[in-house]
Amino acid sequence: MNSEIVLEAKQLKKSYHKDRIEVPVLRGVDLQVQRGLVTALVGRSGSGKSTLMHLLAALDHPDDGEIFFCGEPIHNASRKRRDAYRNQNLGIIFQFYHLLPELSAIENVLAPLMISQSVLTYFKNRKAAKRHAELMLDRVGLLHRATHKPSEMSGGEMQRAAIARALMTKPSLLLADEPTGNLDTDTGREILSLLNTFNCDDGLSILMITHDDTIAENANQCYRMHDGQLATDPAKLHVA
Ligand code: ADP
Ligand code: MG
């Protein structure tokens, strides 16, 4: 298959230090995420999935190894370049939503634009931004909750708001860390189906991180974390 590789990790290593003892978490991770596909990354709790996601999102530095986005090195880029990489190309969603509690759903969805643009630019474009935020809320089925705060929403609704926020800046790649991990089975299924819709309709590439094997079944490709390294699941290779 000749698919374009959007995100690539080569021999990533990361240890944490506890009481001066080195605890290796990632011991040489190789990963390729192909454009337009859903790639699952499965591993049990504590296996290093979130650690890896933080490295891939340039929120943390690897001890060793390389990360490329569309062929461009990220691991050794300047802080400004790493921030630009994240803001321009990535959507990120977390298990626990990470919504701002004081803001309504629509304000949470608008927040990435408020942060990434100057006050003047944001003010100039605010009507278009609000229309786009409403469109995003509509696409995730949450327009009727636009003015609700997170405390007034269910877990599924909060995750929908988090998805709308993550996709507000039209990223090409979504990193989803246990997007269903805190939801009941049916709600989790709805969230997965919503993510699949964005993959099919917009060509959004998705890296889906999960401890749940059944979630990986819907992915085009599957990696398994074991002993700080990733192995590909041959049954899932080259499906798309
Ligand atoms: P997963 O997301 O697969 O559950 P994590 O990446 O969160 O796993 O954690 C992997 C291992 O690294 C765990 O043993 C965890 O305790 C440890 N760990 C994670 N973050 C830190 C940290 N900031 N400091 C020390 N140890 C950490
Ligand atoms: Mg985790």
Side-chain angles (χ1 to χ4, degrees):
M1 188 160 73
N2 266 331
S3 288
E4 190 186 339
I5 295 165
V6 55
L7 181 66
E8 180 163 31
K10 290 186 182 173
Q11 284 301 300
L12 281 189
K13 295 188 179 139
K14 180 79 181 172
S15 296
Y16 292 114
H17 295 268
K18 193 163 168 52
D19 305 328
R20 299 216 191 117
I21 296 169
E22 187 179 336
V23 183
V25 177
L26 306 179
R27 301 165 184 257
V29 163
D30 292 312
L31 166 79
Q32 291 185 337
V33 178
Q34 293 178 34
R35 186 177 294 284
L37 300 191
V38 178
T39 302
L41 198 163
V42 195
R44 59 180 176 71
S45 183
S47 61
K49 304 183 296 297
S50 296
T51 299
L52 175 58
M53 192 189 84
H54 282 86
L55 299 185
L56 296 175
L59 291 165
D60 197 2
H61 289 273
D63 299 335
D64 200 7
E66 299 170 308
I67 301 168
F68 299 92
F69 185 82
C70 295
E72 256 201 67
I74 302 300
H75 51 281
N76 54 7
S78 67
R79 183 171 176 173
K80 198 171 157 200
R81 174 76 199 97
R82 290 159 65 84
D83 289 346
Y85 151 68
R86 191 181 321 106
N87 293 333
Q88 290 165 14
N89 304 294
L90 301 187
I92 304 176
I93 58 176
F94 301 93
Q95 178 175 355
F96 296 106
Y97 325 122
H98 289 201
L99 296 171
L100 296 167
E102 298 306 319
L103 300 186
S104 67
I106 192 157
E107 288 164 345
N108 265 288
V109 173
L110 282 164
L113 284 192
M114 292 180 186
I115 292 163
S116 67
Q117 296 180 346
S118 70
V119 176
L120 197 64
T121 310
Y122 179 76
F123 193 74
K124 247 173 38 195
N125 300 330
R126 71 191 186 288
K127 280 196 181 136
K130 186 162 177 266
R131 272 200 304 275
H132 186 57
E134 283 168 351
L135 173 75
M136 292 310 298
L137 281 175
D138 196 26
R139 286 193 69 186
V140 301
L142 206 66
L143 195 50
H144 62 301
R145 292 278 182 270
T147 58
H148 287 228
K149 291 193 173 160
S151 60
E152 299 159 347
M153 291 190 259
S154 68
E157 287 172 339
M158 284 194 272
Q159 194 58 295
R160 284 170 193 273
I163 292 169
R165 178 187 57 184
L167 300 181
M168 179 70 185
T169 52
K170 303 179 185 154
S172 56
L173 173 64
L174 178 72
L175 302 179
D177 192 2
E178 307 259 13
T180 65
N182 211 29
L183 302 172
D184 63 72
T185 312
D186 286 349
T187 309
R189 247 186 236 128
E190 285 170 21
I191 293 296
L192 284 183
S193 138
L194 181 62
L195 292 177
N196 278 332
T197 307
F198 281 102
N199 169 250
C200 293
D201 293 356
D202 301 23
L204 176 71
S205 314
I206 301 179
L207 180 63
M208 185 93 74
I209 294 171
T210 178
H211 67 273
D212 185 347
D213 264 329
T214 57
I215 288 176
E217 280 167 19
N218 289 316
N220 303 117
Q221 256 203 335
C222 180
Y223 284 93
R224 273 168 206 286
M225 181 77 85
H226 185 65
D227 269 350
Q229 293 188 309
L230 288 183
T232 45
D233 188 339
K236 276 279 177 193
L237 269 181
H238 304 174
V239 169

